[in-house]
Amino acid sequence: MAKTTPATLALSKAGVGFELHPYDYDPDAPRVGLQAAEALGIAPEQVFKSLMVLVDDKPACVVLPSDCEVSMKKLAACLGGKSAQMMKPADAERLTGYKVGGVSPFGQRKAVPTVIDETAQLFDTILINGGQRGLLLGLSPDGARLAANATWSDITA
């Protein structure tokens, strides 16, 4: 497993400290974020998943706890749109440069609006995908917000 990804490079460039948390990725897991939390022995609400969505047909990234579902209505409203839907996996991979299961909000090929669920602020450290399957990054919520140029919002269903 590579220790350097576009995500780790972006964090380093932004001056945001992080720790690597590799784990055994299970491609057959029904919910990758929950599988990662279990593999690392970390509470699922502290492990954040990154999803690529379309808000009024414009791409965006949403980061939320692995044990939660995104409220498309809240997300659309947060980004000033009328509707939101999940992006097709092939489109997400093409846009971000990452494989689904390894999408990170950091270092994507094209910068898109990013929203992090406000519950991230409850923790000193959160874990977010590091840009490849089987690699999470531990960092401060404020560091994540800064590096992703993200906004906080209540986006869970």
Side-chain angles (χ1 to χ4, degrees):
M1 173 181 304
K3 301 291 188 214
T4 303
T5 66
T8 60
L9 292 172
L11 289 171
S12 294
K13 184 176 179 183
V16 174
F18 61 91
E19 291 182 0
L20 299 173
H21 292 271
Y23 68 96
D24 290 328
Y25 175 80
D26 178 0
D28 298 320
R31 295 180 63 182
V32 174
L34 293 178
Q35 185 263 323
E38 185 177 330
L40 290 169
I42 296 172
E45 61 270 18
Q46 196 172 352
V47 176
F48 281 66
K49 58 187 173 185
S50 305
L51 304 175
M52 297 306 294
V53 297
L54 294 170
V55 177
D56 293 346
D57 294 323
K58 294 181 181 134
C61 181
V62 59
V63 181
L64 68 158
S66 63
D67 62 344
C68 294
E69 297 295 324
V70 64
S71 165
M72 293 298 181
K73 189 173 185 174
K74 287 180 183 178
L75 177 62
C78 169
L79 292 174
K82 293 182 180 176
S83 67
Q85 63 188 34
M86 290 298 298
M87 189 180 289
K88 291 178 183 166
D91 293 340
E93 290 179 352
R94 192 169 33 260
L95 180 73
T96 65
Y98 296 124
K99 294 280 184 204
V100 170
V103 173
S104 178
F106 318 116
Q108 293 185 4
R109 280 187 183 149
K110 182 178 183 206
V112 299
T114 301
V115 180
I116 302 175
D117 188 70
E118 63 189 10
T119 60
Q121 299 171 92
L122 299 173
F123 301 98
D124 292 332
T125 301
I126 57 173
L127 278 73
I128 299 178
N129 199 290
Q132 70 183 39
R133 295 170 177 166
L135 179 65
L136 294 181
L137 304 175
L139 68 164
S140 73
D142 283 333
R145 186 190 57 75
L146 174 74
N149 194 27
T151 56
W152 301 121
S153 188
D154 171 13
I155 51 170
T156 58

